[in-house]
Amino acid sequence: MSTTTPTITESARTLTEPPREGRRTGAVLALARFEARELLHQIPVLFFFALYVLLIVLRLISKDGMDDFPVLNTVDRRTQAAPLLFALAVFICANAAALRSRKHGTMQQFGVLAMEPWRRTLAHVLSVIPYAGLTALAVAAEYTREALKPGAIGHGSFGELAVGPLSVLLAGITGVLLARLLPSSFVPILFVIAVYLLGILVSGLIDVDQEWVGWLDPIQVFSSSGGDPVPTDLLGRPADWHALYVTGLCAVLTCAALLVAGGRTRAVKAATALALAATAAGVIGQIPRDTAALDAARRTASDSPEKVQSCSTYDGSTYCSFPEWSGVRDDWAGVVDRVRSGAGGTAAEARLTVRQRIYTDGGVETDGALDASTTPGEVTVGTRWGGNRVPEFAVGVASVLVGGSEDVTTEPMCDARAVTIMWLVLGNDPTPTATFQNVRLDDSTSGSGVVLAPTNGLSLSAAQTTVIRELLDQPRAEMTARVKAHWTELASAKTTTAQAAKLLGVEVPKETDQCGE
């Protein structure tokens, strides 16, 4: 019996044969998943992400009445600041992760592995993406919660919403790049200080005509100057181009980290060229164009809003607003009906024109007061609604019903008209005392004070305040009947506050009837 030895025709793979590209990709992704889990175990990342989520929750459950009518072109920008501390934590921890092997003295052991240094760098960059994704989910949840409210106004911008997630991604990539350029644990701290000081220096050197240069700051965080919102098309913010710019910058920094780590392959070089082109396109897109047209549109919206507004009619009164606020007109109509129901004479059937107005002197969303309208029967309403804005609007409506136009409040009314106006505001209010306190500038219900309105406030003397408090203690139906019966006298500048008290059947105030005392 003979035996034969089998012949092996396939050549054995040598140890020096490089692994296939698919296996390399799988190894990079496996290392990226490992590093992502390691980042999740870092206390700064966990703490600041939990703090970030907590801030969102607290903001969403706030009880301010104006939150029921969120203006979405401010909500999207409101999502930009909160992720910054989380981004800082990711920056520091991603840098530390990329320096781990150097810190523990295991750099030499990587020399026997098949994965090149630049692929390990790529894995560190990829490990940051899940945290940018978590930020994007938090931003989307916050914005969606506000957008789904029945009173939500307007629409948001994807470019504005992208700032938060991109800031986290950019921070993590920057941390990895610094680990390759300057492998020291002190570098991140020095880098943050240097960036902060540079930002202060640049902001001080930028002229008003060069404000667009500020958009080169990747973290373009919205900061409100205290003014009311404006229509989206008046903002003039190149948010989408800025998102492209930051995305391209993330890609450029990633390619730089790979090149520094030795990844000079054709694919990396091609990606670098594409990233530079995207970044350049974003920079060019942010350069302002046709600013004269934007300024003209802002002036028109401020000085002649009727040219860019649409109107609706409810019960004989006309309600005009910028298109994004069309859904709030019925709420305005409800306030007008409530205030008008307490009036007498011709005011009970008065046909008003409610017009939305904005303040744009010195730019948009700047803090400033609207001048009272001199047009008879016209009532001003702003771009914020809900909360205290409701009784303030009621003051404007009542002032027009009593005085004929808003400018009647430009001079102190030391007579019965102020009492009548406040009765119209509070007479049918469900919580009149609380509303009276909230609508006053000093949050009090005694002494002299100023009642807020969309334009000029209403000055009340101590005597007028006393009479108003007395009216609120009386049966509403009885007081409403008295106001209507004596409307002519109560709406006259010749009737004193003491005479108004007698007509309404309440105690005459002991205070002297002097406005602004």
Side-chain angles (χ1 to χ4, degrees):
M1 182 175 181
S2 61
T3 59
T4 59
T5 302
T7 301
I8 300 176
T9 59
E10 183 179 357
S11 61
R13 181 180 300 172
T14 63
L15 292 177
T16 59
E17 181 180 351
R20 296 175 182 176
E21 189 63 29
R23 294 183 180 179
R24 289 175 173 175
T25 302
V28 170
L29 294 178
L31 180 57
R33 288 193 295 269
F34 170 80
E35 292 295 346
R37 289 195 296 269
E38 286 297 304
L39 285 176
L40 189 61
H41 296 156
Q42 302 303 311
I43 293 179
V45 172
L46 286 174
F47 175 79
F48 284 108
F49 184 73
L51 179 62
Y52 170 43
V53 173
L54 179 62
L55 290 175
I56 293 177
V57 172
L58 292 177
R59 193 154 54 195
L60 291 179
I61 64 175
S62 63
K63 298 300 182 181
D64 189 344
M66 283 183 289
D67 291 334
D68 295 333
F69 298 85
V71 180
L72 297 182
N73 69 23
T74 61
V75 172
D76 57 7
R77 290 175 283 161
R78 196 178 64 187
T79 64
Q80 297 173 358
L84 289 185
L85 287 178
F86 179 54
L88 181 61
V90 171
F91 165 72
I92 294 174
C93 292
N95 179 269
L99 291 174
R100 188 189 309 116
S101 57
R102 181 179 295 274
K103 177 181 179 182
H104 295 290
T106 59
M107 287 291 296
Q108 296 78 7
Q109 299 177 17
F110 285 133
V112 301
L113 299 180
M115 184 183 295
E116 300 95 321
W118 71 270
R119 293 184 186 274
R120 293 196 298 272
T121 300
L122 178 59
H124 282 290
V125 170
L126 294 177
S127 70
V128 178
I129 294 179
Y131 298 94
L134 285 175
T135 307
L137 289 176
V139 167
E142 180 179 4
Y143 177 79
T144 302
R145 174 68 178 84
E146 297 293 276
L148 292 179
K149 289 182 177 180
I153 298 168
H155 57 85
S157 165
F158 175 80
E160 301 285 6
L161 293 171
V163 169
L166 286 175
S167 67
V168 174
L169 180 62
L170 181 64
I173 295 172
T174 304
V176 175
L177 175 60
L178 286 178
R180 294 295 176 254
L181 290 174
L182 301 169
S184 172
S185 58
F186 294 102
V187 169
I189 299 175
L190 298 177
F191 179 79
V192 171
I193 295 174
V195 169
Y196 177 74
L197 294 177
L198 180 62
I200 295 177
L201 177 63
V202 172
S203 63
L205 296 177
I206 294 177
D207 295 330
V208 176
D209 296 334
Q210 298 175 329
E211 288 184 352
W212 71 271
V213 177
W215 284 92
L216 298 180
D217 178 4
I219 314 301
Q220 183 60 223
V221 176
F222 166 61
S223 58
S224 174
S225 55
D228 289 338
V230 299
T232 304
D233 57 356
L234 300 182
L235 290 173
R237 292 173 60 89
D240 293 336
W241 287 111
H242 184 72
L244 174 62
Y245 163 67
V246 180
T247 302
L249 195 58
C250 289
V252 168
L253 296 184
T254 298
C255 293
L258 299 183
L259 291 171
V260 170
R264 294 176 177 82
T265 65
R266 281 186 292 181
V268 173
K269 292 178 180 178
T272 303
L274 183 61
L276 288 172
T279 306
V283 171
I284 295 172
Q286 292 178 118
I287 298 176
R289 297 176 180 82
D290 201 7
T291 55
L294 179 61
D295 292 340
R298 290 174 175 176
R299 286 195 301 271
T300 299
S302 176
D303 301 337
S304 306
E306 65 278 0
K307 295 181 179 180
V308 291
Q309 291 181 342
S310 59
C311 302
S312 302
T313 301
Y314 300 91
D315 293 333
S317 292
T318 303
Y319 300 84
C320 302
S321 70
F322 298 103
E324 293 172 83
W325 278 263
S326 59
V328 195
R329 295 172 190 167
D330 55 348
D331 291 273
W332 300 343
V335 176
V336 170
D337 289 343
R338 175 171 60 81
V339 174
R340 191 167 49 188
S341 65
T346 58
E349 302 295 332
R351 296 188 176 186
L352 304 178
T353 297
V354 175
R355 186 168 301 284
Q356 192 172 47
R357 296 168 59 197
I358 59 174
Y359 180 88
T360 61
D361 290 353
V364 295
E365 297 183 326
T366 55
D367 193 15
L370 293 169
D371 294 330
S373 173
T374 58
T375 304
E378 183 172 278
V379 184
T380 296
V381 65
T383 53
R384 292 191 185 276
W385 188 248
N388 277 0
R389 300 296 89 82
V390 177
E392 289 172 15
F393 173 63
V395 172
V397 174
S399 299
V400 173
L401 289 176
V402 173
S405 62
E406 284 184 340
D407 61 346
V408 71
T409 60
T410 56
E411 297 294 335
M413 290 188 289
C414 301
D415 50 67
R417 291 176 298 170
V419 174
T420 308
I421 289 172
M422 291 311 301
W423 171 253
L424 294 182
V425 173
L426 304 172
N428 291 321
D429 190 274
T431 57
T433 302
T435 300
F436 186 34
Q437 180 178 0
N438 292 335
V439 83
R440 283 173 58 113
L441 184 60
D442 59 357
D443 294 328
S444 71
T445 58
S446 62
S448 60
V450 175
V451 174
L452 299 174
T455 56
N456 287 15
L458 174 67
S459 297
L460 294 180
S461 67
Q464 291 166 336
T465 301
T466 300
V467 173
I468 293 167
R469 286 205 322 268
E470 291 288 334
L471 294 178
L472 297 181
D473 293 335
Q474 306 301 317
R476 296 194 187 184
E478 179 182 341
M479 284 298 101
T480 299
R482 285 178 177 269
V483 168
K484 291 184 177 182
H486 301 284
W487 179 259
T488 302
E489 296 94 327
L490 294 174
S492 172
K494 297 179 180 180
T495 305
T496 65
T497 301
Q499 291 171 336
K502 293 179 181 179
L503 291 173
L504 296 174
V506 297
E507 184 178 352
V508 176
K510 298 179 182 179
E511 299 93 336
T512 57
D513 193 8
Q514 295 180 357
C515 298
E517 60 186 59

